[in-house]
Amino acid sequence: MSERTLAIIKPDAVKKQAIGDIINRYEKAGLKPVAMKLMQMSMPVAEGFYAVHKARPFFGSLCGFMSSGPCVVLVLQGENAIKKNRELMGATDPAKAEADTIRKAHGANIEFNAVHGSDSPETAAFEIGYFFPGMEIFG
Ligand code: IDP
Ligand code: MG
């Protein structure tokens, strides 16, 4: 089933000049960017995006990181896009990420882990709508 997921190339990966490598991995896996922008989140925008994590001890640090520089926010479309992108990303902790994953290649640690990907159809719908109005998605 063709579906959409929200991906973010986080500020650490943008600083490392890994945008091209990461988008290449999406495209090679059949995930087509149908919306994309370079943007810097404010602290409140990052807090809203990660609201589900607000009780976690790392919440403040995570939102500080996510607003520390520009990131690339994309909507990816393709067969089983949510699961496929999670597989391309690898485990949250790059030290535990499988070989040939984005986090293995570009992540530094469990916080600075290069990419975000929606984890369910419900979160994908919220996350896509958080950053893109329908008229900016070219599916
Ligand atoms: P995910 O990005 O693999 O879905 P989540 O558990 O949803 O992982 O956590 C969201 C983000 O919060 C992670 O990608 C990572 O940047 C950060 N994070 C997760 N767990 C920790 C932690 O234990 N310490 C610091 N940061 C964390
Ligand atoms: Mg998550």
Side-chain angles (χ1 to χ4, degrees):
M1 184 199 44
S2 184
E3 65 183 5
R4 290 172 176 172
T5 190
L6 192 281
I8 302 178
I9 303 174
K10 295 183 178 183
D12 58 333
V14 172
K15 281 194 193 86
K16 287 178 189 167
Q17 298 186 266
I19 295 173
D21 176 65
I22 293 169
I23 292 177
N24 194 32
R25 289 170 189 254
Y26 296 148
E27 291 192 325
K28 277 188 172 160
L31 295 178
K32 181 180 178 186
V34 294
M36 179 163 72
K37 60 188 164 195
L38 186 68
M39 62 168 293
Q40 182 161 1
M41 292 185 215
S42 65
M43 192 71 177
V45 167
E47 287 167 351
F49 181 72
Y50 279 119
V52 55
H53 290 309
K54 68 171 174 280
R56 309 285 285 277
F58 57 81
F59 180 69
S61 175
L62 171 63
C63 295
F65 161 50
M66 292 300 289
S67 59
S68 67
C71 63
V72 179
V73 186
L74 314 88
V75 179
L76 301 174
Q77 184 169 299
E79 290 296 308
N80 296 310
I82 295 169
K83 182 164 176 277
K84 195 178 278 180
N85 185 40
R86 296 292 305 193
E87 288 168 1
L88 290 177
M89 290 161 63
T92 306
D93 182 352
K96 297 183 182 143
E98 301 71 10
D100 290 330
T101 59
I102 296 169
R103 283 168 163 171
K104 186 67 151 190
H106 299 297
N109 57 51
I110 196 167
E111 180 168 88
F112 302 141
N113 60 4
V115 281
H116 168 84
S118 308
D119 64 6
S120 71
E122 294 71 30
T123 57
F126 166 76
E127 292 175 359
I128 290 168
Y130 194 76
F131 288 115
F132 295 101
M135 66 171 285
E136 291 181 10
I137 303 174
F138 301 91

